Amino acid sequence: MPNSDTQIASRICENLARARETIAAAAARSGRRAESVTLVGVTKYVEPSVARMLVESGLNTLGESRPQQLWQKAEALADLQVSWHLIGHLQRNKVKRTLPLVACIHSVDSLRLLQEISREAAAVHRTADVLLELNVSGDTSKTGLKPDEIEPLFPEISKQPSVRVLGLMTMAGLEGGADRARRDFAALRTLRDQLAPKCPASVVLNELSMGMSGDYEVAIEEGATIIRVGSALFEGIEV
Ligand SMILES: *Cc1c(COP(=O)(O)O)cnc(C)c1O
């Protein structure tokens, strides 16, 4: 196990280079350019000092699943140019503090949360970019809106002037491996294709945030534009 900071930094560099190659290959297989896939480096497993090494390796789009950890890391890395994504559950009482720190919230799973985000964004004269989190796997343990809940929300979403819905996010079902993941990701893409012609102006649905360390290749093949990768970037590091 590497232990000195130099060893950890070089391991992170290698992991990132390997992930970028894998992304490029998967994109090529689906007839897309590597640049059409945004890699979000998920830093929830590591200390801010290790997250810093990831940025210094050249990845400045980072994600955290817990708001408090995002606040803490954003503060620790405030001297760097980092685009932060919140990828996990957000309670309404944490919107105010989270919003100024993030480029995108992946995990909007209720109309009330979206309304709160719009209210807080309006208060600071900005527009918040969000994704709607879908539960396509049907796992009851997973958060997210059900596929048939999205379209009925469109009229209400279009009344929230300070939120822009850029796309959909999902996590694949826990069981069933790559086949299951592919089915869930394909379901998200199909849902997006069905909803796209019915969207109001503030809903675009260009982005599909799907794929993590174990299934991001499959996700890219199925049309992911954003992948959220944590453990693969920190492989071989004792944290
Ligand atoms: C932790 C997490 C990830 C990253 O998971 P890895 O398997 O470590 O790559 C992606 N998305 C969400 C929502 C997460 O909570």
Side-chain angles (χ1 to χ4, degrees):
M1 282 283 169
N3 40 34
S4 78
D5 278 2
T6 323
Q7 285 172 317
I8 295 174
S10 79
R11 187 68 204 248
I12 287 176
C13 254
E14 285 167 29
N15 290 347
L16 179 60
R18 196 169 335 104
R20 290 215 193 274
E21 281 170 24
T22 308
I23 292 166
R29 282 198 297 280
S30 54
R32 298 155 64 203
R33 299 184 320 136
E35 302 80 64
S36 67
V37 181
T38 298
L39 169 62
V40 176
V42 178
T43 53
K44 67 187 182 195
Y45 312 103
V46 300
E47 294 296 315
S49 62
V50 178
R52 173 175 292 274
M53 293 175 190
L54 189 55
V55 181
E56 286 165 349
S57 302
L59 185 65
N60 54 14
T61 304
L62 301 184
E64 278 288 329
S65 54
R66 292 176 189 273
Q68 289 99 326
Q69 292 208 8
L70 190 149
W71 304 343
Q72 187 204 349
K73 288 212 177 68
E75 190 181 337
L77 273 54
D79 58 312
L80 301 174
Q81 287 287 338
V82 177
S83 172
W84 283 104
H85 289 223
L86 182 73
I87 61 173
H89 186 65
L90 178 60
Q91 289 166 290
R92 279 175 293 138
N93 63 7
K94 298 197 172 70
V95 169
K96 189 187 179 78
R97 175 133 183 222
T98 302
L99 199 58
L101 304 173
V102 296
C104 183
I105 297 170
H106 289 224
S107 41
V108 173
D109 57 2
S110 73
L111 180 61
R112 291 169 79 201
L113 175 60
L114 187 130
Q115 289 166 330
E116 181 65 16
I117 293 170
S118 185
R119 193 160 33 242
E120 291 296 346
V124 294
H125 307 289
R126 57 168 281 204
T127 306
D129 288 336
V130 307
L131 307 176
L132 301 177
E133 181 176 354
L134 267 291
N135 179 347
V136 288
S137 69
D139 279 14
T140 47
S141 62
K142 290 228 155 49
T143 52
L145 294 153
K146 297 197 187 75
D148 62 3
E149 288 177 326
I150 305 292
E151 195 182 337
L153 292 181
F154 283 165
E156 278 304 318
I157 293 177
S158 63
K159 287 184 211 153
Q160 307 302 321
S162 300
V163 169
R164 216 161 29 187
V165 178
L166 300 184
L168 307 177
M169 178 272 218
T170 201
M171 292 206 262
L174 287 176
E175 277 150 38
D179 290 345
R180 172 67 184 279
R182 189 179 296 282
R183 212 174 63 212
D184 290 343
F185 297 151
L188 192 71
R189 188 194 59 226
T190 303
L191 178 67
R192 187 274 307 275
D193 294 345
Q194 288 164 355
L195 291 172
K198 303 169 185 166
C199 286
S202 60
V203 180
V204 183
L205 305 189
N206 282 338
E207 306 291 343
L208 292 177
S209 168
M210 53 190 199
M212 324 200 314
S213 292
D215 53 25
Y216 72 86
E217 286 185 76
V218 172
I220 292 169
E221 289 169 7
E222 295 301 329
T225 62
I226 305 176
I227 56 174
R228 312 175 306 268
V229 179
S231 29
L233 297 175
F234 301 107
E235 227 169 77
I237 294 159
E238 214 168 351
V239 291

